[in-house]
Amino acid sequence: LPGAAWAVRPRYKLGTAFRADWGTAGPGDPRDPLRIAFLCEYDALPGLGHACGHNLIAEVGAAAALALKAALESPVGPAPAAVQVTVLGTPAEEQGGGKIDLIKAGAFDGLDVVFMAHPSQENAAYLPDVAEHDVTVKYYGKASHAAAYPWEGVNALDAAVLAYNNLSVLRQQMKPTWRVHGVIKNGGVKPNIIPSYTELEFYLRAPSMKELSVLTEKVENCFKSAALATGCQVEIKGGENDYYNVLPNKSLQKIYKENGKKLGIEFISEEAILNGLSGSTDFGNVTFVVPGLHPYFYIGSDALNHTEQYTEAAGSQTAQFYALRTAKALAMTALDVIFKPGLLEEVRKDFREMKLKEEGQIYP
């Protein structure tokens, strides 16, 4: 209703999440509203701050929702259906997968279309964000004096080093689109003590959940063989939430590009998208439960994400123009979903087809 306020729920499903709703339907309106959501990320990186620009993601999500509300309140004529606009604050994208926890808690139930936008070095309606699996590996050996009687020990650091090297050898047989990267978080206590405990943390990435399962098996064999070679015990623990690859929605992407071009956004070519690689995001999991759009936008800097230079760029005044322009393009796309006949059904069709295709690969 014109002038109606947002209904805000702090600590929504998670302690650091929130939800804000506004709608055009009045009390007692029998119409089932079209539910459109905008997502806000706001977590940062340890030591680097907003080196992935999540401050701008939050700004874009909130600004797009406010713009859509203002447009629906304007006297241009009523929408063909009742509309509910939702803003979801989604924490912990960088570690843990807050959106996945929110999915499990039912936060995305009933939503029709979900939007967010991510800062980058270029403008793209879609980039192939890949599936990702976290794994923590712990080796348990036996301590002993490293000089007096090392033969009495079982060296857990040897196991960690062998595992690291096993993965390095595996790289020759890895597909160009696979990624394995990690750190040794615990490598022992002192040089004169045979390490009885070591710990590694690795991230595994592949273009699809099917390929990710193949890569995971190969990597776990590398960890297990290192334990066997050294006589250590090994504990392999996967992260609680796997990040799924982002499912493209061609109908939403097409409309977003049309709107972006009207605002002066210059998009990279389809060839650049196909040949490019991106990171991973828990928005991928969202695209398996509701149609979604996850474009990338230039912020006026060539700095790379997850660097100190990008932290500075994301907090600059220059980035504001690009962020707000992106928010406007998202709001315009949401208006098209509301007002253009048949578009919503096309979006839903794309969603169903991509989901069936992906699940057919995972569960043939």
Side-chain angles (χ1 to χ4, degrees):
L1 292 176
W6 292 89
V8 180
R9 283 178 275 179
R11 297 176 294 280
Y12 178 70
K13 307 289 187 182
L14 301 177
T16 51
F18 73 87
R19 178 171 181 148
D21 294 298
W22 174 87
T24 61
D29 193 321
R31 296 178 297 174
D32 188 27
L34 170 60
R35 294 177 171 89
I36 293 177
F38 298 91
L39 305 188
C40 298
E41 289 179 12
Y42 35 75
D43 56 334
L45 289 158
L48 287 175
H50 278 299
C52 209
H54 290 195
N55 57 314
L56 297 176
I57 297 176
E59 179 182 345
V60 167
L66 290 170
L68 180 58
K69 175 179 181 287
L72 293 172
E73 288 178 317
S74 66
V76 295
V83 179
Q84 176 182 293
V85 184
T86 296
V87 181
L88 278 177
T90 62
E93 188 274 342
E94 291 291 354
Q95 185 167 352
K99 295 184 192 66
I100 306 169
D101 291 331
L102 286 169
I103 289 170
K104 293 175 181 177
F108 289 88
D109 293 355
L111 297 179
D112 291 295
V113 185
V114 175
F115 296 94
M116 68 168 280
H118 196 297
S120 183
Q121 295 79 46
E122 65 276 306
N123 295 297
Y126 165 80
L127 286 178
D129 285 288
V130 297
E132 187 265 343
H133 173 70
D134 297 358
V135 62
T136 298
V137 183
K138 299 177 181 180
Y139 290 106
Y140 299 93
K142 179 184 175 184
S144 181
H145 197 294
Y149 32 85
W151 54 85
E152 294 292 337
V154 178
N155 197 317
L157 181 57
D158 283 349
V161 171
L162 281 177
Y164 198 98
N165 288 332
N166 285 345
L167 293 174
S168 295
V169 173
L170 176 65
R171 293 184 195 282
Q172 186 182 23
Q173 275 70 51
M174 283 170 47
K175 291 184 178 182
T177 52
W178 292 0
R179 295 289 184 271
V180 175
H181 41 99
V183 295
I184 299 176
K185 295 181 68 175
N186 188 320
V189 180
K190 288 185 67 179
N192 63 348
I193 304 172
I194 297 291
S196 62
Y197 173 79
T198 54
E199 181 178 339
L200 305 91
E201 184 176 7
F202 273 81
Y203 291 175
L204 322 179
R205 304 181 199 258
S208 68
M209 292 301 295
K210 180 182 179 181
E211 288 192 45
L212 183 62
S213 66
V214 175
L215 176 60
T216 299
E217 182 180 1
K218 292 179 181 291
V219 168
E220 288 186 352
N221 285 337
C222 290
F223 295 140
K224 292 173 184 176
S225 61
L228 180 64
T230 56
C232 291
Q233 299 297 312
V234 63
E235 177 185 316
I236 302 173
K237 185 176 181 181
E240 186 174 345
N241 294 324
D242 285 346
Y243 285 22
Y244 291 4
N245 48 299
V246 173
L247 297 181
N249 191 289
K250 292 184 178 179
S251 296
L252 285 176
Q253 291 161 207
K254 178 175 179 289
I255 297 298
Y256 176 77
K257 287 183 70 173
E258 290 175 0
N259 288 319
K261 288 175 181 178
K262 293 174 186 175
L263 300 173
I265 298 177
E266 296 180 2
F267 292 94
I268 60 174
S269 67
E270 293 297 319
E271 182 181 358
I273 292 173
L274 290 173
N275 294 330
L277 282 172
S278 188
S280 305
T281 170
D282 54 4
F283 189 85
N285 301 65
V286 175
T287 63
F288 276 74
V289 297
V290 59
L293 180 70
H294 185 271
Y296 283 82
F297 64 98
Y298 175 70
I299 64 169
S301 170
D302 293 329
L304 299 175
N305 296 61
H306 289 217
T307 65
E308 293 177 356
Q309 292 77 17
Y310 208 84
T311 301
E312 182 179 352
S316 70
Q317 187 60 38
T318 300
Q320 288 298 298
F321 166 78
Y322 299 103
L324 293 175
R325 181 174 67 171
T326 300
K328 187 172 182 179
L330 285 183
M332 291 167 68
T333 305
L335 284 168
D336 285 333
V337 171
I338 295 167
F339 284 95
K340 282 194 173 181
L343 177 56
L344 179 60
E345 188 48 48
E346 290 178 20
V347 169
R348 288 171 170 166
K349 181 182 177 185
D350 287 347
F351 166 71
R352 290 191 298 267
E353 289 179 351
M354 289 304 303
K355 187 178 178 183
L356 283 171
K357 179 181 177 183
E358 183 72 19
E359 290 180 342
Q361 292 176 342
I362 303 172
Y363 311 109

